Amino acid sequence: MATHFGRICALEKIPSTVDEFHFWIARGSADKVEVGYIVTAENTDSRERVFGLVTNIEFFTDAESILVDYFSHEFGNPSARPPTERQEIHIASAAVIGSAPYRARPMASGMVRLATADEIHLAYGMDKIQNKIFCGVVTNGPNPENWAPAFMDEKFLVGPEGAHLNISGASGLATKTSAAIFLISSLLSAARESGKRYAVLAFNVKGGDLLRLDAGGEDGTYMQDELLKLIKTSASSEVKKMLSLADESKVDICFSSTKLKMFAPARANDINVPNSLIQRNVKPFYWSLGDVLKEDAPVRLSDLFESEDVDDRSLGVLARIEELLEDEQTWGGGKVTSFKELVQKMSESIQQPKFWGQHHHSTVSKVVRLVRTNCEGVLNGLFAYDEENGSDIGIEGIGPGEVWVVDIEAINDRAKRLVFHNLTTRLASVMEKESLRPRDERRLHGVIIFVDELNKFAPTGSATHSRIKQQIIELAARGRSLGLVLFGAEQFASRVDKEVIGNASSHLLGRTELVELEDKAYGWLSKNLRFVVGNLEKGRLLLRHALYGRPVFVKFPQPLYNYSTVAIEEFLAAPQAAPARPQDADEAERPFERLRKMLKGQKGIHPIKLYSDVVSLKGLGISQETFSDWYHCWLGQQKFRGKGTTERKAFEIVLAHFSTEKS
Amino acid sequence: MPRLQIPTLASALRELRKRVDMMPVSDDTPEESSAIRIQRYVDPNKWGVAAIESWSRSRGRLSTRQIWDEMVHYLHDDDSPHVDFRYFMDGIQRTTPIGRIRLRKKSFETVPIHLAQIGTVLLKREHRKLIKEDEQIRLLLEYPNAFVQSRTNVAALREDLLGAVAQQVGSAVLGVDTSFRVAKLKSNENLPGLEIKEIDGIHYPRVPDDELWKWCADPAQFRGQARRWTTRFRDIEEQRLYDNALNRLTEHPPNSPLTFVIKDGPLTHTRGGVTKMALGVIKSFSTIFLDRSQMTKVLGLTYGYRSPVFTKSRPEGDLEEQEIYDVDTVDKKLTLLSWYVRIRSVSNHDPLWGLLRIEMHADVLPCKGHTARWAEEDTQLVDAISRQLCQEVSPSSHPDSRWHNLIYPIKSCEFFLRSRILPHVTAHHLLGGM
């Protein structure tokens, strides 16, 4: 049991209320509590406990004004050291989370200490959750031994009671994607344990993180399970504790490549190459004219154009085109199957009233131009201009435990919206069918749709793109009944439609600009918590869940693809990480062992730095990237990457370099 | 000390009220009422006051007269000893009238019943931080028990009321019979038939009933009597705290040999071994020990200067009630040294601005209080103490109006004690008063 470090004080100006209490902190204990910690105030006489989230800590001395303090330091001598230090005090305010036993009256008196893991669960109602989803670690205090696992209720995360998760925070600092990926792995692990069948459709809108889900380390040198083993033995006690708590909740943070499928729209004018940052294992997809003419096609011909470009007359022409295309003999010479052919036929028939009836030839010309400029230009790749058949993502075939990633980073915003609209509409249709067979054990219970930059798809107060926006709002409002769950992320929650935000039963908030936090979208945050959120460390987020009375700060294990090469090298250099070499080990392994021993204790030897420091390496005619690849292989896998002699020479040079340096 | 729950005391008093005709009072005159105190000179026939410092840094051996011509500058930089003000002590008392008892049927004479609270604290300074070393809180119920029993015609009042309260609340509250005089029995008072009360081996005689009977028409007299008894017990408590501090220091001797306990106020009532390490810091000047010319020089002291050290012997013979209450034979001859010191620049302020009077036992100095043996070491020690006091001006004791000569650790003692005792208004409520 943690020791008491404070006591409740209730004054006329700062009384205890049913939702707040204040306590002073004992001298010398100020470092035991911080804003965001969870404390227990207990009255040992009445055996009542109240749990509170520390929302503010104030420090002051008995100097009534700054002038008094000024006088006390020899009338303004900053280095003056009076013989006695002033009486000083830390006063903390805590928002009541819960109590045991339940009480709806203020806590009059009591001693205060850090809440234990069990008390945190009791306070937030996590102890009563039946289907727990491990969602991070409540880092309550500096000692990892006191940390508690945080759980969300599956019923409130993926339905049916509530659903959807919204993550917001500053780019690069809030670790939104990492948080979402961790939660997805946790959810899928829980589903595996409970026999539920969930799948994930993730849209990659920036960077390549989602395309490297199964990679071990930032350069993908390691297998995820190997890297995880290494981290568990060599990482800091904090990371180890988080991983151990995740293990206890049976969370597998490794992604199997067999369950991972990646897609990207085809590159413009080259339908066989995905328009993606990472080419490997990414399958290109594209749509043809036939795909937009299907009766149940989510993306119609009219959706290809900017709404402001398409007036009523143009819509009339587009409707006429669809009529004309139904008849294979309209233009003679068989069915029109590609956009290119369509443009060609339309251009030829502009002046022929038998095709266009009352439509003015200038309107027809405009539509021709729109089809050509969009399909051959801005949407080329996603729409194959001259292909007869499309190559679509078979989203209808998504299976349980699978994670499908669609990389839409490289395409323009309109194309992104079309892809999103197409896939989510089709998924809704799939899930509608699934819901018709509730007793079928093989049915999908739900699909999590993860999309970053949600503000692009459902911006606040904007009439543009209203169709996509309405679809997301619909998804947020009624998706849970179908099993469609939206995991959305954005930098600024204020820029996302409030219905989308409001319908999310869970919110994660990472470090966010203070100006943004002033928006009423963050009205649930107290002023002091806003400041804390504005200065949150990377990897720590504020979690609000439908079941919790108050938000809670959580940390989560970093996804395995995210570990930097330098960090991994440090793990490798750690004494406990060095694998015991078998007695009969092959002689060939010894040089690698020698290299590792030489590097032992030397931190920050990055291959790029080594390459630039050792001139003779450049003399071998190898590139910096090649050397980096070799170097990681020597250290990580203790073998040569290839069979070439240049690599052996490079290895000898490196060994000689370190030997000289050491001597 | 047994812990007392205030509700327990309140219920005991209310129980008493059912049996006796008592009137709650709401006299909220504060204990610390700011009456203007007139300065008075001590009677030189009773107090032994004489100059003792007889050595000047610049002029060597001097006569008493010569030394008073030159105030001593104590801020000079030399190899004077380092003194450590380790402990700080203060006491507080609060005497609250909580009820009046009608002494007689068909008459309006009343006697008051007072609740007195005494708090004493010893703070220790360690690494520049003040921590509580020891404290004592004492509750007294003051009432002229013997007088009322002898003069009342109310049956219920003939019982021992203080005893009745004590039965209910135990030893946590001490009943004090204010029918007795606070000053001890004088040598010529040992008359047969005189009722005597003994506390800690000292005998206190009964105040004649006729005099107390007159007091019934003037409740302020009883109040003064109650306050004097409170002060008497405060002295006892302070001495107890001193003795505890001394025991601690004996068990864990400090590194520095010149470790002092700073007491707020004079050392007049301090006895025992602690006097050898106690410094009394007096910031009020209602009693003047020096003659007019010397006092004029003291009032003219500038920052960094002190007066020469003079002796302040305790009165011989029987003491007046207001002067002293308890002097045992061993300490009667104690010689206290004293000097005035200016710790802040006077500028345009009052002549008492930043002025302190220090009291110290003569044995603390190497010369042991002998004028003829006064040497440079004695001057150095007195200077070092004065200089250390000068350091204590920071931090300042704002917002206290006495901040100019109230040193911060003593202010902290006061602050602590005020947080420990009940305000008058709460004490009034003990008998259901408003």
Side-chain angles (χ1 to χ4, degrees), chain A residues 179-299:
Chain A
I181 294 304
F182 171 72
L183 270 175
I184 284 169
S185 60
S186 181
L187 179 64
L188 292 179
S189 302
R192 259 197 308 276
E193 291 295 318
S194 62
K196 295 271 181 69
R197 295 158 68 89
Y198 291 109
V200 179
L201 171 65
F203 292 93
N204 183 58
V205 297
K206 61 177 179 185
D209 284 356
L210 293 177
L211 302 170
R212 298 186 294 110
L213 287 180
D214 58 344
E218 63 181 358
D219 56 3
T221 315
Y222 303 92
M223 299 293 288
Q224 282 201 331
D225 50 355
E226 282 177 9
L227 179 60
L228 184 59
K229 210 180 286 178
L230 179 66
I231 294 166
K232 281 180 180 173
T233 53
S234 310
S236 66
S237 58
E238 291 186 8
V239 174
K240 282 182 190 168
K241 179 67 181 179
M242 284 196 279
L243 288 172
S244 116
L245 289 174
D247 272 351
E248 283 171 22
S249 299
K250 297 180 179 169
V251 175
D252 182 6
I253 60 170
C254 298
F255 280 89
S256 162
S257 49
T258 56
K259 293 277 185 184
L260 187 64
K261 290 185 181 173
M262 290 178 284
F263 306 90
R267 190 169 281 180
N269 303 318
D270 190 352
I271 54 167
N272 296 316
V273 180
N275 190 2
S276 172
L277 189 70
I278 294 171
Q279 304 284 314
R280 194 167 58 90
N281 298 335
V282 178
K283 190 182 169 194
F285 72 94
Y286 52 90
W287 298 323
S288 67
L289 179 62
D291 291 317
V292 296
L293 292 176
K294 283 177 192 167
E295 197 175 338
D296 56 350
V299 175

Side-chain angles (χ1 to χ4, degrees), chain A residues 6 14 25 55 100 115 136 139 150 163 244 285 296 314 402 491 506 517 559 605:
Chain A
I14 48 163
I25 300 165
T55 54
T139 54
S244 116
F285 72 94
D296 56 350
S314 304
E402 289 184 344
Q491 279 193 52
S506 307
L517 290 170
I605 305 291

Side-chain angles (χ1 to χ4, degrees), chain B residues 52-327:
Chain B
I52 182 170
E53 192 165 353
S54 58
W55 187 91
S56 161
R57 197 175 297 109
S58 56
R59 295 162 65 189
R61 183 70 57 191
L62 294 171
S63 70
T64 307
R65 195 169 182 180
Q66 284 171 317
I67 194 86
W68 273 98
D69 288 341
E70 185 181 358
M71 294 293 115
V72 185
H73 182 61
Y74 62 80
L75 289 179
H76 68 276
D77 189 22
D78 63 2
D79 297 329
S80 59
H82 171 71
V83 294
D84 179 12
F85 292 173
R86 180 79 56 91
Y87 293 98
F88 300 88
M89 213 205 78
D90 197 8
I92 193 171
Q93 65 185 71
R94 187 166 282 172
T95 312
T96 314
I98 54 171
R100 290 196 184 96
I101 294 175
R102 285 184 67 171
L103 190 61
R104 298 178 70 84
K105 289 176 189 169
K106 299 179 184 175
S107 170
F108 291 101
E109 280 91 0
T110 60
V111 291
I113 183 162
H114 286 85
L115 177 78
Q117 303 172 76
I118 295 164
T120 45
V121 68
L122 183 75
L123 297 185
K124 183 180 182 183
R125 184 161 65 190
E126 211 166 43
H127 307 300
R128 299 173 64 229
K129 287 186 188 296
L130 292 170
I131 49 173
K132 189 196 81 178
E133 182 74 6
D134 197 2
E135 70 164 315
Q136 296 285 344
I137 303 291
R138 190 87 166 160
L139 289 180
L140 311 174
L141 206 58
E142 295 169 332
Y143 164 71
N145 208 20
F147 166 69
V148 173
Q149 279 179 308
S150 66
R151 284 299 180 106
T152 187
N153 59 3
V154 181
L157 288 178
R158 289 207 185 92
E159 293 173 24
D160 178 8
L161 288 192
L162 289 177
V165 175
Q167 255 187 352
Q168 291 190 45
V169 298
S171 60
V173 175
L174 184 68
V176 177
D177 190 346
T178 52
S179 313
F180 291 82
R181 197 179 71 197
V182 185
K184 73 171 194 171
L185 189 68
K186 294 177 186 175
S187 51
N188 60 355
E189 283 181 323
N190 203 3
L191 302 172
L194 182 64
E195 209 174 331
I196 303 290
K197 181 179 175 178
E198 186 184 329
I199 301 173
D200 285 354
I202 298 173
H203 295 97
Y204 301 90
R206 261 292 292 276
V207 179
D209 277 359
D210 290 346
E211 193 177 342
L212 291 175
W213 184 248
K214 288 177 195 166
W215 289 6
C216 292
D218 180 9
Q221 293 282 6
F222 275 114
R223 182 158 193 184
Q225 176 78 342
R227 282 185 183 176
R228 284 193 290 275
W229 271 110
T230 309
T231 309
R232 170 72 194 98
F233 277 94
R234 177 181 163 181
D235 290 338
I236 293 173
E237 291 300 327
E238 286 188 353
Q239 186 61 48
R240 191 171 298 164
L241 212 64
Y242 268 137
D243 295 341
N244 289 347
L246 187 70
N247 290 339
R248 281 196 181 84
L249 281 170
T250 315
E251 285 168 21
H252 308 285
N255 295 330
S256 163
L258 295 169
T259 299
F260 288 99
V261 180
I262 306 295
K263 180 190 183 286
D264 185 35
L267 298 182
T268 320
H269 309 297
T270 309
R271 294 172 291 134
V274 77
T275 50
K276 290 176 184 161
M277 52 175 292
L279 276 182
V281 177
I282 301 110
K283 54 190 180 299
S284 61
F285 305 96
S286 51
T287 309
I288 299 172
F289 297 92
L290 301 171
D291 65 32
R292 188 188 168 281
S293 66
Q294 288 168 334
M295 198 60 205
T296 308
K297 285 175 181 166
V298 165
L299 295 177
L301 282 173
T302 53
Y303 168 67
Y305 283 84
R306 64 171 175 84
S307 74
V309 177
F310 55 92
T311 59
K312 179 175 170 278
S313 307
R314 286 181 167 171
E316 296 289 337
D318 293 325
L319 306 168
E320 290 301 321
E321 189 177 291
Q322 289 80 7
E323 288 170 346
I324 201 159
Y325 316 113
D326 170 23
V327 179

Side-chain angles (χ1 to χ4, degrees), chain A residues 352-370:
Chain A
Q352 297 174 34
K354 73 171 182 176
F355 289 107
W356 304 109
Q358 298 301 315
H359 298 291
H360 196 272
H361 65 86
S362 62
T363 312
V364 180
S365 293
K366 178 186 169 185
V367 172
V368 171
R369 182 168 42 79
L370 283 175

Side-chain angles (χ1 to χ4, degrees), chain A residues 307 457 462-473:
Chain A
S307 54
F457 302 96
S462 170
T464 54
H465 333 303
S466 58
R467 191 167 154 196
I468 308 288
K469 181 175 160 181
Q470 281 309 318
Q471 190 186 6
I472 292 177
I473 291 172

